[in-house]
């Protein structure tokens, strides 16, 4: 029977002379190399809010990234998640929740627009040290519904039906 591989880094080695070339029967030089065995690649299974969902200003926001298997909590850093699309958006914190399958990021975003969150391949690891697959999702950032400022004051000339104030 063949041995069962443990997940994580593996080493394969062959001593010099273990194999002879077919053409001239010269022996193989010694070889040693490392590789990873991963039964299930680490992948994002969903986020809260979901991809395409909305963050409603004002922030800061909580952004949960859910994975298909437990993470190594020591492998998760704020710099692992990149934000783009809205100037000044930053990741200010991260915590791995109990069970180690969710990374909760804290986001600071001050303007409306489309925010892209990207987790590059290899930024975090599972409990065997195997790297994650890449993930990216787009989210809306909206100020939501706000009441129009009142009271409204009429503007000159009288009877023009022009009122103030302006609202963005």
């Amino acid at each position: 029977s063949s041995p069962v591989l443990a997940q994580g880094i593996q080493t394969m080695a062959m001593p010099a002379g273990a194999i002879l070339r077919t053409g001239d029967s010269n022996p193989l030089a010694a070889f040693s190399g490392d590789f990873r065995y991963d039964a299930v690649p680490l992948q994002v299974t969903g986020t809260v809010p979901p991809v395409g969902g909305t963050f409603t200003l004002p922030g800061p926001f909580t952004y949960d990234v859910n994975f298909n298997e437990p993470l190594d909590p020591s492998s998760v850093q704020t710099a692992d998640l990149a934000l783009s699309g809205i100037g000044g958006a930053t990741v200010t914190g991260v915590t791995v929740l109990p069970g180690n399958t969710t990374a909760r990021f804290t986001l600071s975003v001050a303007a409306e627009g489309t925010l892209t969150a990207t987790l590059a391949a290899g930024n975090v690891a599972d409990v065997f040290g195997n790297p994650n697959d890449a993930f990216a999702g787009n989210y809306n950032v909206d100020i939501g519904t706000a009441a129009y400022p009142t009271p409204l004051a009429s503007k000159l000339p009288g009877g023009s039906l022009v009122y103030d104030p302006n609202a963005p």
Side-chain angles (χ1 to χ4, degrees):
S1 80
S2 61
V4 176
L5 288 179
Q7 291 190 66
I9 197 153
Q10 307 291 319
T11 300
M12 180 172 70
M14 294 181 76
I19 297 176
L20 302 177
R21 288 194 308 215
T22 302
D24 59 10
S25 296
N26 283 334
L28 172 76
F31 169 82
S32 180
D34 293 335
F35 67 96
R36 288 196 164 276
Y37 170 67
D38 193 0
V40 178
L42 181 61
Q43 298 175 331
V44 173
T45 58
T47 63
V48 177
V51 172
T54 300
F55 292 105
T56 303
L57 289 167
F61 303 124
T62 297
Y63 176 62
D64 288 351
V65 179
N66 302 310
F67 292 88
N68 62 332
E69 64 177 318
L71 305 169
D72 173 1
S74 68
S75 74
V76 183
Q77 312 296 321
T78 57
D80 294 334
L81 185 70
L83 302 178
S84 60
I86 298 176
T90 59
V91 179
T92 60
V94 64
T95 303
V96 176
L97 299 183
N100 297 343
T101 59
T102 299
R104 176 167 286 167
F105 292 90
T106 303
L107 313 182
S108 175
V109 183
E112 291 184 308
T114 301
L115 182 69
T116 301
T118 304
L119 184 65
N123 275 13
V124 299
D126 66 15
V127 295
F128 303 103
N130 295 317
N132 68 290
D133 287 347
F135 169 80
N138 292 325
Y139 304 87
N140 303 305
V141 178
D142 189 20
I143 198 161
T145 304
Y148 193 81
T150 57
L152 301 177
S154 63
K155 301 298 276 183
L156 293 176
S160 68
L161 300 179
V162 176
Y163 292 86
D164 205 6
N166 292 329

